Amino acid sequence: MTFLDKLAQNCRHYADKPALEFVTEHGVTAVSYRQLEQTVSQTMAFLQANGVQRGDRIALQLPKCLPFVYLHLAIMRLEAISLPLNPGYPPHELHYFLQDAAASLLFADNTARNAITPLLADLPALQGCFFLDTSNDANFQAFIAAFPPAQAPMPQDSSATCLMIYTSGTTGRPKGAELTHGNLTANLDALHEAWGWRADDILLHVLPVFHVHGLIVALHGALNAGATAVLHPTFDAEKTLQTLQDRRCTVLMGVPTIHRRLVGAPHAAAYNLRHMRLFTSGSDRLPDDLFHAFQATFGHTLLERYGMSETGMITSNPLHGERRIGSVGLPLPGVAVRIAHPQTDEPLPDGAVGEVQVRGANVCKGYWRQPDKTAVAFTPDGWLRTGDLGLREPDGYFTLKGRSKDLIISGGFNIYPPEVELVLADHPAVLASAVIGCPDVEWGEMVTAVIVPRPDTPVTAEEITAYCQRHLVGYKVPRRVLLVDSLPRNALGKIQKAQLRSELCGVNNVRG
Ligand code: MLC
């Protein structure tokens, strides 16, 4: 039974129960499973009337809101491909995604109309763009009111792509990981079992919905279980603690930055969170001190798990049993994980550090229209090369030891330095640049740009920051800009980032 079959079943079994509760300062909008089914069916009819066909890419550059959920589910039900995008992308970045995916429809927020409209003429595949007033559910309900619920058959082909998540690489521009109905179902089934999801769970959802963590693990996870997802449009530590207490929630999923802010919130320990049964942490390494501080403050032990866009979740510490500090736990049911030599792909013995490689029904089928990059991402015998370094303990627990790829993780968001460096290279005053991550207690890492200006073109760090703010989504903007005379290079002219990291942020690590 696929995720969508399960959801349809839940809509019948739990018809009157809230599937979603969207919380804003104006109040709570509750959507029962019956209403969810009804609205998604009407949304499907709306999409069909606008020509949506099997396999079409439909881009959702929307803030976190109920219409996002309806559209996303309706797109997948029609066997089209949902393409969620960070609403913070400036036009420059958004254009790339729409063009690369050859998206046929775009849904964006009304407030982005002026910024987005000039892009539309230069997107030949795009057949329509809808600007929605997402400020309340009633507007969307009015928008689709004329459409009676569609009666489309359930998708049958589990190998069909239903979701595309863009991830960046060490070379070139971001690429779309193609996740199939089968991938999502396999991962949700594994997590359902591993984390003991229950229909009476109440998930407090504070993550963005344009990534695997917030969209699949959290939102789909709750809907798959027939549980209730209480959605906050953005994360706020005090509101989170208040809602966890007042709504008697049972599950919260976060990234380390979120957990650190919860621990640091005023009167954090005073909230009554006894009904909580699961706090998970992922998307970045959970620091040991935070693991302990969380336990000391809330009396709950964070469950760290590991995953990536291409695979969904890979390993998890156990629900019952030892949640080992510094470890990402054991492979999820149905997921094979091995440690292999990063150059030869030879499996390595327990205790040896090598590349983490993954195989299973959860692993994406490849990158959208990028057969060469897909071929490089997999070993000849079908294991996905994660680019993460790690080891397996003799008792099966995995521990991550760094990354073989040039990647920064800030607040749980992945930032590939070449993306920022490419933007910097277009600035007339930049002769050369290197973008590195410096350790930071709150964010995990902070993006730092080291720049050699052209001798004849004076520029200030503030000007570079302002330029980046215009061309990059907020989390990729360097928090620190350093102007230097030259960058350390090896004999072949390659910039020595490890040396920069150790000189500028006092880091000695395996990354080169
Ligand atoms: C926001 N800012 C960031 C940032 N997030 N800067 C660096 N790194 C980030 N991650 C910027 C904002 O643009 C803003 O800039 C300034 O920081 C302060 O914003 P804030 O309001 O304090 O931050 P906030 O909006 O509260 O965001 C913090 C956060 C958020 C932790 C809630 O980063 C977040 O939701 N992270 C979750 C990421 C996630 O879901 N990752 C999953 C990827 S899937 P300015 O200039 O406007 O002041 C994946 C697979 C897996 O990795 O295994 O899960």
Side-chain angles (χ1 to χ4, degrees), residues 140-191:
F140 188 77
Q141 296 294 346
F143 184 69
I144 54 161
F147 295 89
Q151 299 297 332
M154 288 307 259
Q156 296 299 321
D157 180 3
S158 65
S159 68
T161 303
C162 60
L163 174 65
M164 215 146 87
I165 300 282
Y166 271 82
T167 75
S168 302
T170 43
T171 55
R173 308 290 305 265
K175 42 199 193 301
E178 288 192 54
L179 291 156
T180 66
H181 290 281
N183 295 151
L184 300 192
T185 302
N187 215 224
L188 286 168
D189 287 349
L191 291 172

Side-chain angles (χ1 to χ4, degrees), residues 91-101 166 173-175:
H92 160 83
E93 290 193 89
L94 174 64
H95 184 265
Y96 169 76
F97 294 114
L98 297 175
Q99 188 174 48
D100 187 74
Y166 271 82
R173 308 290 305 265
K175 42 199 193 301

Side-chain angles (χ1 to χ4, degrees), residues 208 211 213 257 261 283 305 307 313 410-413 443 475 479:
H211 272 310
H213 194 167
T257 304
R261 289 193 191 172
S283 308
R305 72 7 170 228
M313 299 303 98
S410 183
F413 283 118
W443 295 100
Y475 66 87
R479 302 284 131 171

